[in-house]
Amino acid sequence: IHSPIRYDIFEFMESNQYVYGYRLCTYEMQVTKRMWTLYGKRNEDFRPHREVDLEMCAFYNNFFVADLQFFRSPPVQKFLRFIDLQGQIYRRRLGDLMIHTMSVYAFAEP
């Protein structure tokens, strides 16, 4: 962060009902398409709030603020367990940037 923050970030997120705040966008979502498709095929009840698009913004997260209740919710936990069990974190560079972004796009209210 290159500028002083002149407000309470946590209060801002809570008053606006945000579950995730990030510093900037990056465009590295190509790695996610396979996992997104596979999760949808294996979970018939999966209805994401937004679809993943290869051209979309990913949340660059060297600085982020998150609502932990969101990430602890049963649908997000189910998704995160699926990602972990696939082994793609280690084999295909599916990092926290993509995992956070997919979680927010799929499960956070628009």
Side-chain angles (χ1 to χ4, degrees), residues 30-97:
Q30 296 80 9
V31 179
T32 66
K33 195 62 174 178
R34 181 177 182 279
M35 290 305 322
W36 186 264
T37 303
L38 188 59
Y39 186 74
K41 286 180 181 177
R42 295 208 180 149
N43 294 279
E44 295 177 8
D45 60 336
F46 179 55
R47 301 288 179 265
H49 288 289
R50 299 166 207 83
E51 287 293 334
V52 167
D53 179 328
L54 298 180
E55 302 298 319
M56 68 195 241
C57 164
F59 310 136
Y60 186 71
N61 58 7
N62 67 350
F63 179 84
F64 67 94
V65 179
D67 179 346
L68 292 180
Q69 287 181 332
F70 168 75
F71 281 98
R72 291 178 180 148
S73 69
V76 176
Q77 284 293 298
K78 181 179 177 181
F79 179 68
L80 295 176
R81 275 192 299 281
F82 175 81
I83 294 289
D84 185 35
L85 292 173
Q86 297 306 305
Q88 298 301 306
I89 295 169
Y90 306 104
R91 286 184 258 166
R92 300 235 186 238
R93 195 186 164 264
L94 189 64
D96 56 342
L97 177 148

Side-chain angles (χ1 to χ4, degrees), residues 1 5 7-26 50 57-71 96-97 100-101 103-105 108-109:
I1 298 177
I5 299 172
Y7 57 92
D8 184 319
I9 295 172
F10 302 104
E11 186 178 294
F12 177 79
M13 288 192 59
E14 184 176 21
S15 66
N16 288 288
Q17 299 180 343
Y18 294 151
V19 296
Y20 197 82
Y22 57 96
R23 189 173 74 84
L24 61 94
C25 284
T26 185
R50 299 166 207 83
C57 164
F59 310 136
Y60 186 71
N61 58 7
N62 67 350
F63 179 84
F64 67 94
V65 179
D67 179 346
L68 292 180
Q69 287 181 332
F70 168 75
F71 281 98
D96 56 342
L97 177 148
H100 288 189
T101 301
S103 297
V104 170
Y105 276 111
E109 293 289 332

